[in-house]
Amino acid sequence: MIHRLDRILTEMPPPSDPDPAGAARVQELMGGRFGEMSTFMNYTYQSFNFRNKKAARPFFELIANIAAEEFGHIELVSVAINTMLTGASSVDDGKAPKAALSHLNDAVINPHHFIAGGQGTLCQDSRGMPWTGDNVFSSGDLIEDLTHNFFLETGARNNKLKVYEMCDHPAARALTGYLLVRGGVHQVAYARAVELLTGADLSKMFPSPRIPTDKIPESKKHMDKGSHTKLYRFSPSDYLELAAVFTGPHPETGEPLQVVNEPPEGFPMHDLPSQQAVFAPDYAPEEIKEIADKLRKKAGLPDEPTAEYADGNGGLVEKVKDKLS
């Protein structure tokens, strides 16, 4: 099972100028062949189908644990897309104006973001094509699956770099800068696993494609914190054998690889505003808030929501502890 935390893996900027065309490009990192839905579901099904786990435990744990991080990457891509779409539809007096979306007709956008998606992320690629389970590869052969995973991460990093080059929106840059580093960690992990099983050193092909990650400002700040050498363990008490595989020097920097025995602390998300023109969350969001306030009071919860949100300056606008007794 996935232990879900109400935080995201890296700090993301608040909404600024909307970029619906850029959001359509970032969709490739969600539902494309090499997107986060593919990495998440490939590793998830490989972990589901893994046989003789006890004998090959470190390799099973590697796949299963990386799958958990990929779930967080799906959320992170969604945060970027939703941030880029915020403000893309007109709002006047809080009610959907007669032609609130007409200005989008000539833009290079994904119209489903507005027609069917509530101005939010879709499980589609940059062409608007739905993600498909045909993108999942789970052969049952450990070496074949690990080799496939290495090249899946290779394609994923290639796509992230291209999206980085196509989109200059702060949310897209923050997203791709972070994922380029973390995808590199997963690429190294699968290369090490193949090498330990077969002697074939895939790390000599790394980085493939040749991505100067340390020269990308949005990536370098994560490398300066050592994120490119760390594999996080996403479980309170399981997956303790990762260090048997994720070991040795980093193929680019020579720094030692390390397993961190807890998930990253994460960052609070921005509470993105309602978008009335597409009824997100509803035509009259103030009515939903009124109902939620009454339900919260009836349940004996604090007046303020038991959550934390980013304020746009690296801090929190609120941090309220659950006071249930």
Side-chain angles (χ1 to χ4, degrees), residues 290-301:
E290 183 179 347
I291 293 170
D293 287 344
K294 291 178 180 178
L295 293 174
R296 187 179 293 113
K297 183 176 182 180
K298 185 176 181 180
L301 293 168

Side-chain angles (χ1 to χ4, degrees), residues 43 145-155 186-188 190-191 194 202-203 205-206 208:
Y43 310 153
D145 284 351
L146 290 170
T147 305
H148 165 270
N149 295 352
F150 174 83
F151 287 105
L152 179 60
E153 293 289 351
T154 297
H186 298 167
Q187 198 177 26
V188 170
Y190 289 127
V194 171
L202 295 180
S203 67
M205 304 172 65
F206 185 89
S208 175

Side-chain angles (χ1 to χ4, degrees), residues 20 42 124 148 152 168 170 190 204 231 280 323:
N42 269 267
Q124 297 177 354
H148 165 270
L152 179 60
D168 59 3
Y190 289 127
K204 291 181 178 178
L231 188 64
K323 298 178 181 178

Side-chain angles (χ1 to χ4, degrees), residues 270-310:
H270 295 278
D271 188 18
L272 301 181
S274 302
Q275 304 291 284
Q276 288 96 326
V278 292
F279 289 34
D282 193 81
Y283 188 74
E286 65 278 1
E287 295 180 3
I288 297 177
K289 180 182 185 305
E290 183 179 347
I291 293 170
D293 287 344
K294 291 178 180 178
L295 293 174
R296 187 179 293 113
K297 183 176 182 180
K298 185 176 181 180
L301 293 168
D303 291 339
E304 294 295 330
T306 56
E308 59 183 19
Y309 303 102

